[in-house]
Amino acid sequence: MDSITQAALGAAVAHAAWHKPLGRKAFLWGAFFGTLPDLDVVFFPLLDDVQQLYWHRGESHSIFFVLIGGALLGALLCSARWKIKISPQRAMAGMVLILATHVLIDYFNSYGTQLLAPFSRFGFSLGNLFIIDPLYTGPLLLGIIAAAFSRSGHGYRFTWAGLAVSSAYVLFSLVSHAYADSVFSRQLEAKQIGVKASYTGATPMNTLLWRHVALTDSGILIGYFSVVADSGEEKIEFVTVQRNEAQIAPYRGQRNVEAVDWFSNGFWVAEEIDGVITMADLRFGELRTDPNDPPEKWQYIFSWEIPDDPDSLPQRSVSLKESRKAIDTLWARLTGDTRERSKF
């Protein structure tokens, strides 16, 4: 998730665990340790582009770091300065919870996390939350702000309320995700389409409109389902996107190509843009300024250039103006405004 979300979650968990011994200071410690795993980016200047892709959300996001790092950091809090105020058990338990919730919320989004690093580089990702979702972050922020300014001795209740509401939202997203995923799977089976791998992910800043990508022999199928505008029995129109494997055939075996293939779990499409070969991860979605745009006109949220240098992997940026148009198109699809006049 984004840094604001991780800081807010860490602050809320820390205050819930440590409000008695540390008071409002728990917010500051929680915000710091809540973003600590993402500080793996401080090593980026020492790594090339490909190494950065493997490193981010790697060792610092594994269950081993949660358990071992949580215990060590908890013990640090119980140094001579802190031992009077906080017990070792509470310090370690709170620290493990802060790190564990950071990793868990990252597992919920499309980017995922390498839970078993360094022993495995497999990226675990569920996809029930988008990387930025104010509906999740908002209750956390409101809870910790209310608790921080509360003059009563029960300010922690606001923190707990924020955690409860945000957790309820996560539970709803899991149910909504499971329902949408079952609809996609059922319809693909009815079409008798051989699916090698599939992924259902949340669209930007909501858990009502879902996007499905399915890897097949004929290409990657992409379809959308809105839990508020569509019926589970209504036919979903899937668009086929060609992976264009011939575009990257000359680059096969290069570290940068293999890194994108690994990171995207095979859900990639290759294109030639302005004479540059690119690879995009389709799990993160595409930008459509018009619901009827064919795949040739789409822009992708996560896309990399593939130069001849195997250690180089520049990430391509997308236009902010185009992004706003794409959000409007997604909102129209969520509410059902585009169903009757497009295949989107």
Side-chain angles (χ1 to χ4, degrees):
M1 301 297 282
D2 63 285
S3 297
I4 295 176
T5 299
Q6 295 291 13
L9 179 59
V13 172
H15 191 246
W18 299 334
H19 65 273
K20 286 185 178 180
L22 299 184
R24 291 184 177 89
K25 291 180 180 179
F27 289 125
L28 299 177
W29 285 109
F32 172 75
F33 287 115
T35 57
L36 183 63
D38 286 340
L39 294 182
D40 55 7
V41 297
V42 301
F43 294 99
F44 275 15
L46 305 177
L47 308 173
D48 61 41
D49 294 345
V50 175
Q51 291 170 329
Q52 289 174 13
L53 193 62
Y54 283 112
W55 175 256
H56 186 46
R57 295 198 185 184
E59 280 76 0
S60 66
H61 286 67
S62 71
I63 58 176
F64 308 107
F65 178 77
V66 169
L67 297 176
I68 300 173
L72 293 175
L73 291 172
L76 182 63
L77 277 183
C78 294
S79 62
R81 182 180 176 182
W82 293 97
K83 65 181 180 181
I84 298 175
K85 291 187 175 182
I86 187 169
S87 68
Q89 295 83 359
R90 174 168 290 194
M92 292 182 184
M95 195 66 70
V96 168
L97 282 174
I98 292 170
L99 298 179
T101 50
H102 178 118
V103 171
L104 180 63
I105 208 69
D106 276 348
Y107 161 67
F108 285 153
N109 64 61
S110 298
Y111 200 102
T113 180
Q114 300 171 47
L115 293 176
L116 302 179
F119 303 104
S120 170
R121 288 296 172 188
F122 183 80
F124 292 86
S125 169
L126 186 58
N128 58 297
L129 291 176
F130 195 68
I131 296 175
I132 299 175
D133 194 333
L135 295 178
Y136 175 77
T137 309
L140 291 173
L141 288 173
L142 291 175
I144 61 179
I145 290 172
F149 286 95
S150 175
R151 295 185 178 182
S152 70
H154 302 290
Y156 66 92
R157 292 179 179 176
F158 292 111
T159 301
W160 277 106
L163 283 168
V165 174
S166 63
S167 297
Y169 180 71
V170 171
L171 290 176
F172 169 78
S173 75
L174 290 170
V175 174
S176 182
H177 177 270
Y179 173 58
D181 189 59
S182 68
V183 172
F184 287 124
S185 299
R186 186 168 64 249
Q187 294 214 15
L188 287 172
E189 288 177 4
K191 295 175 183 289
Q192 296 184 332
I193 296 176
V195 176
K196 297 179 178 179
S198 63
Y199 184 85
T200 298
T203 55
M205 295 177 285
N206 79 96
T207 52
L208 298 175
L209 178 63
W210 299 93
R211 181 177 177 276
H212 190 76
V213 292
L215 181 61
T216 71
D217 288 329
S218 59
I220 297 178
L221 303 183
I222 297 179
Y224 285 81
F225 176 76
S226 169
V227 298
V228 296
D230 301 340
S231 165
E233 304 304 320
E234 190 173 356
K235 183 181 178 181
I236 295 176
E237 296 287 351
F238 289 92
V239 177
T240 302
V241 180
Q242 299 300 325
R243 296 177 79 200
N244 300 324
E245 297 187 39
Q247 296 277 10
I248 63 162
Y251 303 91
R252 272 297 189 182
Q254 285 192 179
R255 291 178 65 238
N256 45 16
V257 170
E258 299 307 315
V260 174
D261 186 43
W262 158 78
F263 178 78
S264 64
N265 289 330
F267 294 109
W268 53 262
V269 58
E271 294 181 306
E272 184 175 351
I273 302 175
D274 299 327
V276 178
I277 302 299
T278 68
M279 290 180 70
D281 188 337
L282 295 192
R283 296 175 304 162
F284 293 90
E286 75 280 353
L287 301 181
R288 302 191 200 185
T289 56
D290 185 282
N292 293 302
D293 280 346
E296 292 76 19
K297 290 187 176 182
W298 295 356
Q299 293 187 59
Y300 297 101
I301 297 176
F302 263 59
S303 181
W304 296 267
E305 297 179 0
I306 307 297
D308 291 329
D309 180 1
D311 299 330
S312 180
L313 193 62
Q315 187 171 333
R316 296 182 66 90
S317 60
V318 295
S319 166
L320 180 60
K321 180 179 179 181
E322 298 299 312
S323 299
R324 289 175 178 173
K325 291 181 180 179
I327 292 294
D328 292 339
T329 302
L330 282 175
W331 176 257
R333 178 61 185 86
L334 188 156
T335 58
D337 288 349
T338 63
R339 285 188 307 161
E340 301 303 324
R341 55 188 175 89
S342 75
K343 294 182 178 181
F344 181 38

